[in-house]
Amino acid sequence: MNKRKLIVLIFSVLIFGCNEAKVVAESNSQILALLERSKTLQLRGEKVEQSMLKNKDSLVILNGEPDVKLNQNSKGFVNIEELSDEFILDMKYATSDNFLKEKVYSCEKCYVREEVAEALIKANNDLLAQGYRIKFFDCYRPYSVQKKMWKIFPNPGYVADPKGGSIHNRGAAVDITLVRSAGGHVDMGTDFDYFGKEAHHAYTKLPKTVLGHRKLLRETMEKHGFKTIRTEWWHYNFKTNIKFKISDFKWECE
């Protein structure tokens, strides 16, 4: 090989190597850009989720003013047990078996608005026909109890701020689960008041039977006018909750 051919060969190798390096560099640059974009989207998603958790179960506050015009009597409310004996009560806040670790109800009662009660009975009848029934964890919650809960655990991700109140305070939200109509536990994937992604409606890394139970409860409740919140499989708001005023009457204990 003469000297001229050798020089040409060397230059060819150098040019090819530079081009190859340029392609690799551009490829690496694109990968880094995608990774950065992915991190940005992930952080944005986490912020959105935190914001949603803070607003969980909160009332719509008109014109930025808290709606705390309290209804001090039980007019418009009914005790669900006086209308039907087909429900099960396991009112967690009448015990210390809750995330507050403290009893905040004097006794277990399930009061809701008359319209809400009618819808609950229809939903329960549908479930009874399929071998299940509704068990209540919480129903109407007096506003003063909301303030007490906030004092014990002032975290808006888990307890609605009394400044805005809770739909529970309006008698239009219930925390529920399924039990078998003949008696027996139904696996819903997590305990009540479990604050983690496993309790979210969108979480699917669960046994098919659990997903089936959640779907049955959700579809039945939605059929009768209730809406879910994203983070809790047990919580249901009645569709016309905003028309009800915040209340603070206390039920009588025997």
Side-chain angles (χ1 to χ4, degrees):
M1 182 181 294
N2 58 37
K3 188 175 183 180
R4 179 177 292 178
K5 288 182 177 180
L6 181 60
I7 291 171
V8 170
L9 179 61
I10 291 171
F11 271 99
S12 297
V13 170
L14 287 172
I15 291 169
F16 178 81
C18 287
N19 288 337
E20 186 73 18
K22 184 179 179 181
V23 170
V24 171
E26 289 178 351
S27 178
N28 287 338
S29 178
Q30 290 175 347
I31 291 171
L32 288 172
L34 287 171
L35 287 173
E36 285 299 318
R37 187 177 179 185
S38 176
K39 287 179 182 178
T40 301
L41 289 172
Q42 183 178 355
L43 287 172
R44 192 175 299 170
E46 289 175 354
K47 287 181 180 179
V48 169
E49 181 171 357
Q50 289 171 4
S51 176
M52 290 181 74
L53 278 174
K54 286 182 179 180
N55 290 307
K56 175 195 84 69
D57 191 29
S58 294
L59 298 176
V60 176
I61 301 174
L62 303 176
N63 301 320
E65 294 296 327
D67 180 6
V68 289
K69 296 177 182 178
L70 303 180
N71 174 29
Q72 298 286 358
N73 60 64
S74 60
K75 184 179 179 180
F77 284 84
V78 293
N79 180 348
I80 199 75
E81 289 183 292
E82 292 180 358
L83 299 182
S84 173
D85 59 1
E86 295 290 356
F87 295 101
I88 303 295
L89 264 62
D90 182 15
M91 309 300 282
K92 293 298 187 182
Y93 300 123
T95 73
S96 60
D97 181 21
N98 57 65
F99 76 102
L100 299 168
K101 305 302 180 185
E102 184 173 331
K103 178 179 177 179
V104 293
Y105 291 165
S106 298
C107 58
E108 64 169 22
K109 298 285 184 180
C110 177
Y111 279 84
V112 290
R113 297 286 179 171
E114 291 178 359
E115 187 178 342
V116 178
E118 291 171 3
L120 285 166
I121 290 170
K122 290 177 182 177
N124 201 43
N125 286 339
D126 276 1
L127 291 167
L128 285 166
Q130 300 176 72
Y132 299 91
R133 72 177 73 222
I134 290 173
K135 178 167 78 170
F136 291 103
F137 292 132
D138 196 23
C139 301
Y140 159 69
R141 181 187 306 155
Y143 180 74
S144 54
V145 173
Q146 190 72 32
K147 292 196 294 184
K148 185 175 183 180
M149 291 174 72
W150 181 257
K151 187 175 182 180
I152 297 170
F153 200 79
N155 187 325
Y158 304 135
V159 179
D161 191 330
K163 289 181 179 179
S166 164
I167 296 172
H168 280 289
N169 304 149
R170 292 177 178 255
V174 290
D175 294 332
I176 59 177
T177 189
L178 292 175
V179 293
R180 301 197 183 280
S181 55
H185 172 72
V186 172
D187 189 359
M188 300 299 281
T190 73
D191 290 334
F192 166 64
D193 269 358
Y194 175 85
F195 302 114
K197 63 183 180 181
E198 292 83 0
H200 295 190
H201 281 284
Y203 189 80
T204 58
K205 295 179 181 179
L206 295 165
K208 288 183 179 179
T209 52
V210 171
L211 295 176
H213 294 152
R214 289 189 183 186
K215 182 181 179 182
L216 173 62
L217 181 59
R218 183 179 69 251
E219 290 183 348
T220 303
M221 295 300 288
E222 288 176 344
K223 175 183 174 183
H224 293 284
F226 291 87
K227 298 182 291 185
T228 64
I229 62 172
R230 186 182 62 87
T231 55
E232 298 176 353
W233 60 259
W234 56 82
H235 182 99
Y236 287 88
N237 294 327
F238 195 59
K239 59 185 177 182
T240 58
N241 62 75
I242 298 303
K243 75 177 184 180
F244 301 124
K245 291 182 179 179
I246 297 174
S247 295
D248 195 35
F249 79 89
K250 302 288 182 62
W251 54 78
E252 294 182 3
C253 296
E254 297 174 357

